[in-house]
């Protein structure tokens, strides 16, 4: 079961990093980028901690659970901001962030 | 078709980064780590460039194809070294590296 | 001498990554972010490859010179784009990118 | 003053990441790598969170202080392990880790 929780979290982190990077890139191509500035910043924060958490889980770091605590928090901030926008990429990103936050909560429980 | 090539490469890079990090961690738990030192170094090199390439593809970087040229080269070096060892993690890693090298070659063609 | 070239390049990569990240963050706080979208994208590309190159040099990777070839190219693109804007952070970033491009050229010579 | 604390922490994180990567690479070239396995794992953990914290500080992330909490913890673990070994690279790394832990504590205070 522990192994399942880890693999699920690793996969959620990877999917979330990808969704965040796609969202940031798409935000930068929208007509009104200024309105999306905080969204882009949080996308980048979130992608970075998701990639670090995925890496920690993959190599069995003793700090993997601690990284997931930070990752959950950043994911929730990003999901909250993305949820304020109607773009399809923001919706997809918010969904991936929430799924990752849940997986991180399970990892660090 | 271009989109398929990109997504396939992104997925191969992500899978390869994970395999490399698992291989490095497992190598560090083997009885004779000294014999696996070059394998660990290449695993880490490879995981890093795979994660960068995945990130470049995900955010549509104009340098994604160039990153894949470097990624293919590092993947082939890592596959070659992992192929010298009989551990299951090295075998899995070599396979993921070769698949990633092929996907990177397609991306940068 | 080789050691000096490596240390100089590592330091230039680190300084450039920092300048790029500061520039991206500052661009996202400007009034007209839309005009700076390509600048932000290149800042992020450049910070990522600079950090990877710094890491490869620090751990003595056999692919450090190859990473510097890619790094030089991305630095020049970023310097070119930053050079089109009059913001102080763009000017500082362009300067750091050019210095890093030179150091990378020396590394991969 | 806040700006000084941030810049000092960013610089300490960058120096620590570099020391950890040099230590990991040097450990992998020692005669008895097996004895240094945990040191290598912690070096890699520590380099990764130091680079993420440096990046968060550089782009003014709202999660920079939280990242520094995790970074301080990983730095202390790495300093503790490096402190058990007499190699010059381990000594230098332990020193950089302790300095970074102090700087992170100041950032997150």
């Amino acid at each position: 079961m522990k192994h399942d929780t880890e693999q699920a979290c690793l996969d959620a982190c990877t999917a979330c990093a990808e969704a965040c990077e796609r969202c940031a890139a798409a935000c930068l191509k929208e007509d009104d980028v200024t309105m999306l500035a905080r969204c882009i910043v949080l996308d980048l924060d979130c992608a970075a901690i998701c990639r670090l958490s995925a890496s920690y889980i993959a190599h069995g770091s003793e700090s993997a659970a601690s990284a997931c605590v930070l990752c959950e928090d950043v994911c929730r901030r990003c999901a909250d901001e993305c949820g304020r926008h109607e773009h399809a990429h923001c919706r997809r990103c918010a969904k991936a962030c929430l799924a990752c936050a849940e997986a991180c909560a399970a990892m660090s429980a």
Side-chain angles (χ1 to χ4, degrees), chain A:
Chain A
M1 188 165 72
K2 184 163 180 302
H3 180 269
D4 285 356
T5 306
E6 285 181 5
Q7 187 63 51
C9 189
L10 200 168
D11 292 342
C13 286
T14 298
C16 188
E18 188 181 328
C20 286
E21 282 170 344
R22 287 190 189 284
C23 183
C27 283
L28 285 163
K29 288 180 184 156
E30 295 289 347
D31 289 337
D32 187 357
V33 185
T34 309
M35 206 187 74
L36 294 162
R38 188 166 179 262
C39 188
I40 296 165
V41 173
L42 285 168
D43 281 340
L44 298 175
D45 276 6
C46 196
I49 185 65
C50 284
R51 290 205 185 278
L52 181 133
S53 298
S55 169
Y56 273 26
I57 297 169
H59 74 256
S61 164
E62 65 193 51
S63 298
S66 302
C68 286
V69 173
L70 175 58
C71 195
E72 181 188 354
D73 180 64
V74 178
C75 282
R76 292 203 190 279
R77 287 168 192 269
C78 191
D80 189 51
E81 179 61 30
C82 279
R84 292 175 204 276
H85 307 289
E86 306 234 334
H87 303 297
H89 51 83
C90 289
R91 298 276 144 174
R92 272 193 298 271
C93 189
K95 205 173 157 185
C97 287
L98 285 178
C100 190
E102 292 300 318
C104 285
M107 259 297 288
S108 55

